[in-house]
Amino acid sequence: MNTLLEHIISDCRQYTAQGHVATYIPELANVDPDQVGICISLDNGREYFAGDCQAQFTMQSVVKPLILLQALMDSGVDTIHSLVGVEATGKPFDTFNYSDQPLSRTNINPMINTGSIALCTLIHGATYRDRFGRLLELARKLAGNPQLTVNESVYQSEKLTGSKNRALAYLLTAYGMISDPVEEVLDCYFRACSISVTCRDLARIAHIFANHGAHPVTKEQLFPAEYAKYVNATLVTSGMYDGSGEFALNVGFPAKSGVGGGIMGVIPRRMGVGVFAPALDQRGNSVAGIKALEKLSRELDLSIY
Ligand code: GLN
């Protein structure tokens, strides 16, 4: 397996030249664009790695499935579903073009910024700092990594410059979809996006979603299978934003990307995959990361369709 992963990484490194690191969060512009890493988590704790698999990067939107999961665990399916729908938007992750239609649950989903910001209000906690603390604990537990923490400079950088997300949060307020103070809700969201991980952390988190909530080694049920299916379904339709259809065709399993360059791939009942390659395409998805997952899917016949 390691040999296969090495091949995939050396084949895919060339594609980093076709993308660009995110610059709208200034701190992300400092990342080396040529990195490519992969990790696979299989049953009984077997893990395989290749490339820049030790590199740390921020989760960014890869944290959205965890925000959804925490909100599901705290508030239940009906409450979640009444605030944020599940239909694909076919629009970019930070779209604010709702002017042709009133903002409502039917035109947002948990994997775009507006939906994810709204879901932060359904996570329990006395303060938004506490809500984030519970989210971080969840990430640590699923990754089996108590060291996970926030990259402070990326967090500060996004908090200072996140006007578009502020605009989205105020739109949610204007349409009566959230009522808590915007800065507090966003602080939870920005911190969550800035959790620093490696490919291995993503592979392990993905593996638990693939196992429908059961830990692949201890077999402990960490959250209800029903919630894993909810999250995985939203990843299929929207995890790669407006590139989700093409990804379903060429790769064929639930996945979530982030502008930090990470992608988490969930292969139900089989494995979890984490890739990292920070050069992004125009949609904000990792170019070499998608190529690596395409090759992996073809080699191991991973498409669920
Ligand atoms: N923190 C980023 C933002 O809100 C996450 C976006 C992404 O990874 N696509 O803009």
Side-chain angles (χ1 to χ4, degrees), residues 86-102:
V86 291
E87 298 306 330
T89 63
K91 289 182 176 160
F93 66 83
D94 57 353
T95 186
F96 56 95
N97 180 16
Y98 297 106
S99 55
D100 55 342
Q101 45 189 172

Side-chain angles (χ1 to χ4, degrees), residues 110-142:
M111 298 303 145
I112 60 167
N113 291 14
T114 316
S116 193
I117 292 167
L119 288 178
C120 289
T121 68
L122 297 182
I123 293 173
H124 289 171
T127 64
Y128 271 87
R129 201 55 201 270
D130 292 343
R131 298 182 200 219
F132 169 69
R134 297 184 57 245
L135 203 50
L136 180 61
E137 277 315 310
L138 176 69
R140 287 176 173 165
K141 187 163 144 190
L142 300 190

Side-chain angles (χ1 to χ4, degrees), residues 24-25 60-61 64 93 113 158 165 189 193 241 257-260 284:
Y24 77 99
I25 299 174
Q60 300 301 334
S61 284
K64 287 182 168 110
F93 66 83
N113 291 14
E158 182 167 16
N165 283 322
Y189 173 77
C193 289
Y241 316 114
S257 60
V259 293

Side-chain angles (χ1 to χ4, degrees), residues 44-209:
N44 303 317
R46 286 171 298 152
E47 291 177 333
Y48 300 92
F49 308 88
D52 299 299
C53 49
Q54 311 283 351
Q56 294 274 340
F57 54 95
T58 52
M59 291 184 87
Q60 300 301 334
S61 284
V62 185
V63 81
K64 287 182 168 110
L66 298 188
I67 293 178
L68 171 59
L69 175 62
Q70 188 67 61
L72 281 166
M73 291 194 291
D74 289 352
S75 299
V77 169
D78 293 347
T79 307
I80 301 307
H81 207 57
S82 64
L83 180 64
V84 177
V86 291
E87 298 306 330
T89 63
K91 289 182 176 160
F93 66 83
D94 57 353
T95 186
F96 56 95
N97 180 16
Y98 297 106
S99 55
D100 55 342
Q101 45 189 172
L103 182 59
S104 74
R105 62 171 293 283
T106 53
N107 47 38
I108 59 175
N109 68 54
M111 298 303 145
I112 60 167
N113 291 14
T114 316
S116 193
I117 292 167
L119 288 178
C120 289
T121 68
L122 297 182
I123 293 173
H124 289 171
T127 64
Y128 271 87
R129 201 55 201 270
D130 292 343
R131 298 182 200 219
F132 169 69
R134 297 184 57 245
L135 203 50
L136 180 61
E137 277 315 310
L138 176 69
R140 287 176 173 165
K141 187 163 144 190
L142 300 190
N145 181 357
Q147 313 294 333
L148 287 190
T149 188
V150 164
N151 178 325
E152 280 294 322
S153 30
V154 173
Y155 158 66
Q156 292 293 347
S157 181
E158 182 167 16
K159 193 175 166 82
L160 269 175
T161 58
S163 308
K164 217 166 178 186
N165 283 322
R166 281 193 177 83
L168 296 176
Y170 279 110
L171 262 185
L172 285 164
T173 309
Y175 282 94
M177 297 177 71
I178 66 173
S179 52
D180 289 344
V182 158
E183 282 306 324
E184 288 180 33
V185 179
L186 284 176
D187 191 69
C188 176
Y189 173 77
F190 291 148
R191 279 182 203 274
C193 289
S194 303
I195 296 173
S196 183
V197 291
T198 63
C199 292
R200 174 200 247 175
D201 297 314
L202 294 191
R204 287 181 173 184
I205 294 171
H207 199 174
I208 295 175
F209 283 107

Side-chain angles (χ1 to χ4, degrees), residues 220-241:
E220 185 191 352
Q221 192 72 35
L222 300 175
F223 54 86
E226 174 198 5
Y227 295 166
K229 291 179 188 173
Y230 195 119
V231 170
N232 293 346
T234 64
L235 296 184
V236 167
T237 61
S238 314
M240 305 297 287
Y241 316 114

